[in-house]
Amino acid sequence: MAKVIVITSGKGGVGKTTTSASFSSGLALRGNKTVVIDFDVGLRNLDLIMGCERRVVYDIINVINGEVSLKQALIKDKNCDNLFILPASQTRDKDALNLEGVARILEELKQSFDFIVCDSPAGIESGAFMAMYFADEALVVTNPEVSSVRDSDRILGILAAKSRRAVEGLEPVREHLLVTRYDPKRVNAGEMLSVTDIQEILRIPLLGVIPESESVLKASNSGTPAIHLDKSDVADAYRDVVGRFMGEDLPMRFVAEKAGFLKRLLGGR
Amino acid sequence: MSIEIPAFKIKTGTLPVLQLHILTTDMAQLKEQLALRLKLTPDFFASTPIALELSAIAESGAGLDYAELAAFMLEHGMCAAGVVGGSAGQRAAAVQAGLGLFTDAPARNIPKRDADQAPTVVHVVELHEQPELPVFSGGAAENQPADPPMAQAVAETPPVRATMVIDRPVRTGQRIYAEGGNLVVLAIVNAGAELIADGDIHVYAPMRGKAIAGAQGNEAARIFVQGMEAELLSIAGCFKVFEEGIPENVRGKPARVHLEGSRLLILPLMH
C-alpha cells in the first residue's frame, strides 16, 4: 500500500524542500518507487533543488485541470531511476489547487508508487492544507529556535484536527520530528534550543537531526539533493533519517559537538 | 494682555477607587464590624480614598451620620472621599458632612449581590495587591470584567455536564471549550493553546498555554496543573498574565488556582 508523506513545518526557510528532495531521493536509492510533489504553487522551488527546472513543461495544476495526463507531467529524476518529480505551477496561485483534484492525483499515483512525498509550502493556508490533508505520515521539519518550534506545534495541531485521518476518525497521522540546521556548538553556547528542549515542547518521536552545513547551500545551487554529496555530514544524516523511517534502529548522530583534533588525540572521545 | 503661567490644570482621569458597600444604617454594628475587619490588616488602607457605596441602604431612606463615620474611618487609616448611590436625602446629608458625590455606579452591580450575599456589613469590591502574595496584580481596569459574569452566575446556574477529557497534546492555536462543565487534560498544553471551561480545569502535564475556568462567571471554579508554566490564568473573568515570569514557588511545579474576592491566588499544590 502506497504511503503519503507530507514534509511540513509551518515556518518558511527551515528546510522543507531540501528535506523533500533528499528524503525522496533516499527512499528511491533504497529501491522504492517514489514520487515527490511540489505543493508550493506560485513559488516553485523543488525543481531547482532537484536540478530539473529546465525539463518542466507541465505541472500539477495542468493535471488537476485535466489538460494533461499525470504521465506527461511527471519528470524522471536525473540521479535516481525510481524517483519522479511532479512540479508546481509557477504562474498560478494556491487557489488553483482543490481537494478533489489532489485526491484524484494521489489515487492515481498510489497505483504505481510506493511512497508519495508531498513538499508543503510554508504557512497554514490552503496550499499547506492541501499538502497535508491526505497524509499518512508527517515529517515535521523544525529549526532549533522558538518561533520555528511554535509553528511546528501549530502544524501538529492542525494535523491532529483537520487532516483526512482526523476528520474521518481513522488512525491518526504518524508524526516524526526532524530537526534541521542543528549546530551543537551553538546549542552548548545556549544560542540554540537543544533537541531535548524541542522534544520537551513538541513531544513527538525524533526521526533525525540534520547538522547545519554550508554544503546544503552549495547542493541547492547546483541542483543536487544534499543526500548525494560525498563525505558530507548532511548526506549521512539524511541517509540515517531514511533508514530510521524504514524501521532501522540507528544511533542518533550529529547531536553532540564534534571533538576537535587535539581532543581526539588526547583521548577526549 | 500678558500671558500668565497656568497655576493649575483641570483634567478628567479614571482612577481605581475602593468602594465600601454600606449594608446597614446601624452605626454601632457598622463600626464594630469595620473595626474587626481592619484589625486583620492594620496598614492595608493607609489613607486610601474610599467611596461609600449606599445603594443597599438607599431604599430605607434612613440617615447616617456621615461626619461621624468619616472620622471613625480616618482613625483606622481609611479616607472617606465621597458617596456613590444612595437616596437624594442621603446624598444631601453626605455633602453636608463634607463628602463628595460620585456619579452613580452602574446599576448592574447592586441588586443581585445584595440578594445573595451573606450578611456581612462591609464588602470591599476591589482589593489592591498585597505584594507578599502571588496575587492578581492588575489594576482596577483588569479587575472589572469580573463583575458582569459574577452577577450572571448568581442568576442562572448552568446545568452540570459530563467532564471533558482530552488525552492528546493541546497545541498552539487550538482552543478547547468544555461548555457547562469541567475540563481535564492528560497531555501537554503548549504556549498559544487555550483551555476554556465553565467549571474547573485540570491539567496533568506541563501547562504552558491559557487556562480560563469559570468562563460563565463561576467564581468557585478552580484550576489545577501539574507543571505551572501558564501564559494566562483566569477564573470568572479575573485574569493574570506573567510578564515578569511565574512566581518561583510555583514555577514548573504542581499548583492550584482559585479566586479570593477578586484576587487570583496561585498556590503550590501540597502533597
Side-chain angles (χ1 to χ4, degrees), chain B residues 126-193:
Chain B
E126 281 168 3
L127 282 176
H128 277 224
E129 58 190 301
Q130 285 181 312
E132 72 276 14
L133 292 170
V135 296
F136 181 51
S137 61
E142 281 170 322
N143 267 332
Q144 266 161 8
D147 271 357
M150 236 186 248
Q152 214 180 335
V154 174
E156 39 182 287
T157 313
V160 178
R161 296 203 193 166
T163 294
M164 184 189 273
V165 181
I166 305 290
D167 58 0
R168 293 178 52 189
V170 186
R171 300 187 180 277
T172 187
Q174 292 186 313
R175 171 185 276 180
I176 309 248
Y177 179 29
E179 195 182 349
N182 301 334
L183 175 59
V184 174
V185 182
L186 305 176
I188 192 164
V189 179
N190 272 343

Side-chain angles (χ1 to χ4, degrees), chain A residues 149-161 172 175 200-204, chain B residues 168-175 187-193 205-206 208 229 231:
Chain A
V149 174
R150 175 171 287 195
D151 289 0
S152 294
D153 193 39
R154 179 82 166 114
I155 283 290
L156 285 165
I158 295 173
L159 274 168
E175 300 153 338
E200 166 64 23
I201 297 170
L202 297 180
R203 305 212 166 187
I204 59 171
Chain B
R168 293 178 52 189
V170 186
R171 300 187 180 277
T172 187
Q174 292 186 313
R175 171 185 276 180
I188 192 164
V189 179
N190 272 343
R208 301 172 178 143
E229 298 171 45
E231 291 177 308

Side-chain angles (χ1 to χ4, degrees), chain A:
Chain A
M1 184 61 191
K3 259 189 191 152
V4 180
I5 305 149
V6 62
I7 315 290
T8 185
S9 71
K11 196 170 167 62
V14 297
K16 282 183 297 298
T17 302
T18 301
T19 297
S20 297
S22 286
F23 183 68
S24 55
S25 299
L27 290 172
L29 287 172
R30 286 172 170 254
N32 301 295
K33 276 207 83 181
T34 307
V35 57
V36 55
I37 308 176
D38 190 351
F39 273 82
D40 206 346
V41 177
L43 294 167
R44 198 179 85 194
N45 281 167
L46 181 67
D47 53 321
L48 292 170
I49 309 275
M50 305 288 295
C52 65
E53 72 277 11
R54 289 174 191 283
R55 289 189 286 151
V56 175
V57 182
Y58 302 113
D59 56 54
I60 185 170
I61 302 299
N62 296 129
V63 182
I64 283 184
N65 292 343
E67 294 153 13
V68 297
S69 73
L70 199 49
K71 216 173 174 182
Q72 285 173 287
L74 286 176
I75 300 170
K76 192 168 178 298
D77 183 55
K78 61 181 181 185
N79 294 303
C80 319
D81 286 341
N82 291 317
L83 181 59
F84 288 81
I85 299 129
L86 181 56
S89 173
Q90 182 66 350
T91 52
R92 308 293 291 273
D93 62 33
K94 268 118 189 141
D95 298 335
L97 287 170
N98 60 63
L99 276 186
E100 299 82 63
V102 174
R104 214 178 53 234
I105 291 179
L106 292 180
E107 274 316 308
E108 199 179 331
L109 289 172
K110 278 183 184 176
Q111 306 305 316
S112 40
F113 288 94
D114 302 319
F115 292 105
I116 303 165
V117 178
C118 303
D119 180 19
S120 170
I124 51 173
E125 282 74 40
S126 70
F129 177 69
M130 298 284 166
M132 74 162 62
Y133 186 77
F134 298 99
D136 301 309
E137 312 215 5
L139 255 68
V140 178
V141 182
T142 305
N143 285 172
E145 48 109 7
V146 284
S147 59
S148 173
V149 174
R150 175 171 287 195
D151 289 0
S152 294
D153 193 39
R154 179 82 166 114
I155 283 290
L156 285 165
I158 295 173
L159 274 168
K162 293 189 179 161
S163 62
R164 182 184 64 97
R165 283 179 169 268
V167 171
E168 293 178 5
L170 305 170
E171 203 182 310
V173 176
R174 257 185 81 194
E175 300 153 338
H176 307 271
L177 175 63
L178 182 66
V179 179
T180 55
R181 310 197 64 170
Y182 196 73
D183 186 343
K185 204 182 260 176
R186 297 189 64 189
V187 171
N188 288 345
E191 297 167 9
M192 273 185 179
L193 296 179
S194 70
V195 170
T196 320
D197 294 336
I198 299 171
Q199 277 195 291
E200 166 64 23
I201 297 170
L202 297 180
R203 305 212 166 187
I204 59 171
L206 179 67
L207 187 65
V209 177
I210 311 295
E212 171 79 313
S213 166
E214 285 171 20
S215 58
V216 171
L217 187 64
K218 280 184 211 149
S220 301
N221 287 337
S222 65
T224 310
I227 197 168
H228 296 303
L229 296 174
D230 269 345
K231 293 182 195 138
S232 145
D233 283 2
V234 174
D236 289 347
Y238 273 119
R239 273 192 286 271
D240 283 3
V241 164
V242 174
R244 282 187 208 105
F245 186 83
M246 301 301 292
E248 290 168 19
D249 188 15
L250 301 170
M252 207 53 78
R253 297 195 271 175
F254 315 112
V255 283
E257 201 173 333
K258 244 190 259 176
F261 173 74
L262 262 180
K263 212 170 166 190
R264 264 183 293 164
L265 206 66
L266 300 171
R269 199 166 68 92

Side-chain angles (χ1 to χ4, degrees), chain B residues 70-89:
Chain B
F72 174 79
M73 284 167 68
L74 205 56
E75 270 173 44
H76 291 83
M78 297 167 91
C79 178
V83 297
V84 187
S87 67

Side-chain angles (χ1 to χ4, degrees), chain B:
Chain B
M1 221 168 77
S2 68
I3 298 169
E4 282 183 38
I5 299 162
F8 60 84
K9 281 201 274 191
I10 294 182
K11 280 186 149 182
T12 61
T14 313
L15 302 171
V17 71
L18 291 182
Q19 297 182 43
L20 183 67
H21 286 237
I22 308 291
L23 306 182
T24 178
T25 52
D26 182 343
M27 181 65 87
Q29 191 196 3
L30 182 58
K31 276 187 178 174
E32 186 196 329
Q33 292 195 18
L34 205 50
L36 210 64
R37 170 67 181 80
L38 295 176
K39 221 159 76 184
L40 298 175
T41 49
D43 299 322
F44 185 71
F45 290 99
S47 301
T48 315
I50 310 276
L52 303 175
E53 219 285 348
L54 304 180
S55 49
I57 58 166
E59 292 202 358
S60 74
L64 198 62
D65 189 337
Y66 296 102
E68 187 187 342
L69 180 58
F72 174 79
M73 284 167 68
L74 205 56
E75 270 173 44
H76 291 83
M78 297 167 91
C79 178
V83 297
V84 187
S87 67
Q90 288 166 341
R91 288 171 75 83
V95 174
Q96 283 281 309
L99 293 177
L101 295 179
F102 286 97
T103 43
D104 263 346
R108 60 184 164 84
N109 282 344
I110 300 137
K112 280 164 189 159
R113 178 169 288 145
D114 290 347
D116 269 56
Q117 213 97 60
T120 34
V121 173
V122 292
H123 178 74
V124 179
V125 245
E126 281 168 3
L127 282 176
H128 277 224
E129 58 190 301
Q130 285 181 312
E132 72 276 14
L133 292 170
V135 296
F136 181 51
S137 61
E142 281 170 322
N143 267 332
Q144 266 161 8
D147 271 357
M150 236 186 248
Q152 214 180 335
V154 174
E156 39 182 287
T157 313
V160 178
R161 296 203 193 166
T163 294
M164 184 189 273
V165 181
I166 305 290
D167 58 0
R168 293 178 52 189
V170 186
R171 300 187 180 277
T172 187
Q174 292 186 313
R175 171 185 276 180
I176 309 248
Y177 179 29
E179 195 182 349
N182 301 334
L183 175 59
V184 174
V185 182
L186 305 176
I188 192 164
V189 179
N190 272 343
E194 275 181 34
L195 304 181
I196 308 172
D198 291 340
D200 304 335
I201 294 177
H202 300 245
V203 181
Y204 298 104
M207 160 66 201
R208 301 172 178 143
K210 300 180 178 176
I212 297 159
Q216 299 272 358
N218 179 9
E219 290 170 70
R222 282 158 189 258
I223 300 170
F224 303 89
V225 306
Q226 198 161 61
M228 174 59 79
E229 298 171 45
E231 291 177 308
L232 177 145
L233 296 169
S234 167
I235 293 174
C238 262
F239 67 88
K240 185 167 173 61
V241 289
F242 302 96
E243 213 173 317
E244 308 293 324
I246 292 167
E248 190 123 19
N249 62 334
V250 290
R251 190 186 308 150
K253 294 177 189 147
R256 61 197 165 104
V257 185
H258 70 278
L259 202 58
E260 203 171 277
S262 55
R263 288 181 302 161
L264 209 59
L265 290 184
I266 307 167
L267 301 171
L269 193 62
M270 300 301 178
H271 288 289

